Amino acid sequence: MADSFDIGIDRLKAMAEPTRLRLLALLQGGDLSVKDLTTILGQSQPRLSRHLKLLTDAGWITRYPEGAWVYYRLSDAADIRDLWQATYAHLGKGSDVLAQDQDRLVRLKEEQRQRAQSFFDDHAARWDALRADLVPEADVEASILKVLGKARVDSFLDIGTGTGRMLVLLADLYRQATGIDPSPAMLKVARSTLIEHGINHAQVRQGDGHALGIPAQSQDLVALHQVMHFFDDPRPMLAEVCRVLAPGGRLLIVDFAPHGVERLRSDHQHRRLGFDADEVSRWLSALGLSVEPVKTLGRDQSTHHQQLPVHIWVARDPRALVDAPVLSNASVLA
């Protein structure tokens, strides 16, 4: 009890400074870099870095390095969020300073959104050429929602998040989510996507699918949406996914069925031209997962233009079924 009391006092002391209160108010809405914060607050980087370190040490915020950049975010811990919301409700009302900070944040995010859109527009020709051969995204997404159902989960991990589309599509299914991607440029697009859709219970991070840096058995739902074909052998990545999958958790995989479109290797850096449904199911079974019947889209022979078929796999960690009465987060929230 004394330790909890002392920690609470230290947190309140760390917060009780005008600049640090302004920082917390800005960071409650999502990820911001030191450069973002210096632009909004008009203060020097060394000064803000000192304030950010104090807030990090006190547990208020979390620090995420991303290449040469560092992003900060209000802690996801429930006690931190509750304490901040109570403080903000008391201090934030009628504050001209905080309101002006928010106005500058909105303008900054719009500038970033436009830059991200410019990046995506520069690559649009390649994407459009590929889409002509694909099953319509709306059909794939409708099938994803159908196979996953409406049961809510506590934590969702989107590996190879790209534009962040899966974080948007499944936003109603999770309490909190993380999208990882190795490309800083794509992460900027994903952050812009989350802002555009008003999603503040998801975040994106730079990361490697083979070494996720995420605690074991912590994720109720993991997605690999059009990711595996970028790897010669995706099995090590699948093993890493199984490490972080919670008992009773599910893995969603969406990827191409076998095809012969060689230009995807040269133009889009695909390493594998699709996957056999049974082969991937055997991989997942060998990892101890229970695999549901595979769904395949894009094999309608009645169309004049043959689309590249897409497989959808859903596999579940069966431990919750065996180790009852221990329930996963997914079971509790369903």
Side-chain angles (χ1 to χ4, degrees):
M1 183 68 69
D3 289 343
S4 178
F5 180 81
D6 292 341
I7 291 172
I9 293 297
D10 289 341
R11 283 177 177 169
L12 291 172
K13 287 180 179 179
M15 180 212 293
E17 194 279 335
T19 296
R20 292 197 282 275
L21 282 169
R22 293 170 70 186
L23 287 169
L24 290 171
L26 289 167
L27 293 171
Q28 69 179 332
D31 301 351
L32 292 172
S33 68
V34 177
K35 182 179 180 182
D36 294 335
L37 294 167
T38 58
T39 300
I40 295 169
L41 297 181
Q43 299 185 23
S44 69
Q45 180 172 334
R47 176 182 172 82
L48 287 185
S49 293
R50 176 178 174 276
H51 287 305
L52 290 166
K53 184 178 187 307
L54 289 170
L55 290 172
T56 302
D57 291 344
W60 278 107
I61 60 177
T62 308
R63 180 180 186 273
Y64 297 97
E66 187 175 295
W69 291 49
V70 176
Y71 284 87
Y72 292 87
R73 181 185 180 90
L74 187 67
S75 171
D76 288 324
D79 58 338
I80 291 288
R81 291 270 174 174
D82 291 344
L83 181 56
W84 170 249
Q85 289 302 323
T87 303
Y88 187 74
H90 180 67
L91 296 177
K93 293 180 179 178
S95 170
D96 291 339
V97 172
L98 296 184
Q100 290 168 5
D101 287 347
Q102 290 298 317
D103 288 342
R104 286 190 286 269
L105 174 61
V106 169
R107 291 196 296 271
L108 175 67
K109 290 299 184 182
E110 177 57 23
E111 293 172 2
Q112 293 175 340
R113 188 197 67 78
Q114 291 177 3
R115 288 197 295 270
Q117 186 62 48
S118 295
F119 166 82
F120 203 66
D121 289 345
D122 289 343
H123 294 73
R126 289 199 309 145
W127 288 109
D128 289 342
L130 176 58
R131 284 195 186 101
D133 292 327
L134 301 184
V135 177
E137 292 176 0
D139 293 348
V140 177
E141 292 181 356
S143 295
I144 289 172
L145 293 174
K146 184 175 181 179
V147 298
L148 290 180
K150 296 182 179 180
R152 288 179 56 81
V153 300
D154 187 38
S155 55
F156 168 49
L157 176 65
D158 185 25
I159 299 174
T161 195
T163 65
R165 178 57 194 166
M166 286 297 101
L167 297 174
V168 174
L169 179 67
L170 304 180
D172 291 337
L173 296 186
Y174 58 79
R175 184 187 67 83
Q176 63 86 24
T178 302
I180 69 167
D181 200 281
S183 167
M186 290 309 298
L187 289 174
K188 290 179 181 179
V189 175
R191 287 192 177 98
S192 176
T193 299
L194 294 178
I195 293 167
E196 180 181 351
H197 289 84
I199 296 174
N200 57 18
H201 60 304
Q203 54 188 292
V204 295
R205 300 282 172 261
Q206 188 174 29
D208 179 359
H210 288 83
L212 295 169
I214 290 174
Q217 302 185 31
S218 62
Q219 303 300 311
D220 299 306
L221 177 62
V222 179
L224 289 167
H225 180 263
Q226 297 290 10
V227 171
M228 292 201 309
H229 57 246
F230 289 109
F231 298 90
D232 289 308
D233 184 359
R235 285 174 291 181
M237 180 170 57
L238 293 176
E240 173 69 351
V241 168
C242 286
R243 182 187 68 80
V244 304
L245 202 61
R250 290 183 294 172
L251 168 60
L252 168 74
I253 300 175
V254 181
D255 219 305
F256 295 119
H259 62 84
V261 185
E262 284 290 341
R263 66 180 176 82
L264 293 184
R265 294 190 198 270
S266 57
D267 296 348
H268 296 274
Q269 288 73 55
H270 289 202
R271 302 297 298 173
R272 297 284 298 269
L273 298 183
F275 297 89
D276 179 77
D278 291 338
E279 180 182 28
V280 174
S281 294
R282 287 194 297 270
W283 293 347
L284 298 175
S285 296
L287 290 168
L289 301 181
S290 175
V291 186
E292 298 180 6
V294 179
K295 185 175 182 60
T296 302
L297 305 175
R299 281 189 170 149
D300 184 359
Q301 300 298 328
S302 65
T303 61
H304 294 290
H305 179 72
Q306 183 65 34
Q307 298 165 328
L308 294 181
V310 171
H311 289 321
I312 299 177
W313 295 265
V314 176
R316 183 184 293 272
D317 185 313
R319 285 174 296 175
L321 303 177
V322 175
D323 299 337
V326 178
L327 299 177
S328 72
N329 289 330
S331 301
V332 172
L333 293 174

